[in-house]
Amino acid sequence: LDAERQEALDHAFKLAEGYEQGKEVLVQVREALRMEQEVRKNVQKDVARTQQKIVNEDRLLHDIKQKARHMEVMVAVAERERDQVTEELAHPKYKAAIENIT
């Protein structure tokens, strides 16, 4: 009977040891999950910041393109006005006046 008791006691200790090891594994798994969640949160924040940067850069690009189109129009208007003045100055009455000045 003593051998049986000793065997049962040894078995109980082994079960308790396994339980403790399992508990430690669970603690490690929980810690790994917590760290993974923290990394995920940081990645989500980075993604949100990057998306906001893209939106801001898209707006800036739109503004730059709009200003470029406006400048093209202004250049075309200035060229048209230059051409008109050049034509007017080529008129004989202006040509004679210009020659008298120079």
Side-chain angles (χ1 to χ4, degrees):
L1 197 60
D2 282 338
E4 285 180 18
R5 285 186 196 163
Q6 187 61 44
E7 191 177 312
L9 192 56
D10 288 344
H11 182 67
F13 281 132
K14 284 181 184 178
L15 287 176
E17 187 178 304
Y19 170 78
E20 289 299 319
Q21 288 174 347
K23 215 165 103 175
E24 180 60 31
V25 167
L26 283 176
V27 167
Q28 291 174 357
V29 167
R30 281 186 187 143
E31 179 62 17
L33 285 173
R34 186 194 63 74
M35 290 170 60
E36 186 65 29
Q37 287 173 341
E38 191 173 319
V39 167
R40 185 171 182 221
K41 257 193 252 179
N42 290 336
V43 168
Q44 287 174 334
K45 287 177 185 176
D46 288 345
V47 166
R49 277 193 296 268
T50 301
Q51 288 173 333
Q52 187 58 50
K53 281 182 182 179
I54 290 169
V55 166
N56 293 343
E57 289 172 2
D58 283 347
R59 286 181 187 154
L60 181 60
L61 180 61
H62 176 74
D63 290 346
I64 290 169
K65 285 180 177 180
Q66 202 169 24
K67 287 176 183 176
R69 284 191 294 271
H70 178 70
M71 293 301 282
E72 288 172 359
V73 168
M74 290 178 66
V75 166
V77 168
E79 287 173 342
R80 215 173 310 123
E81 289 175 0
R82 180 202 62 206
D83 293 344
Q84 286 175 351
V85 168
T86 302
E87 285 178 25
E88 288 176 13
L89 292 177
H91 192 274
K93 71 177 183 178
Y94 290 113
K95 213 172 199 180
I98 293 171
E99 286 175 6
N100 289 335
I101 295 172
T102 56

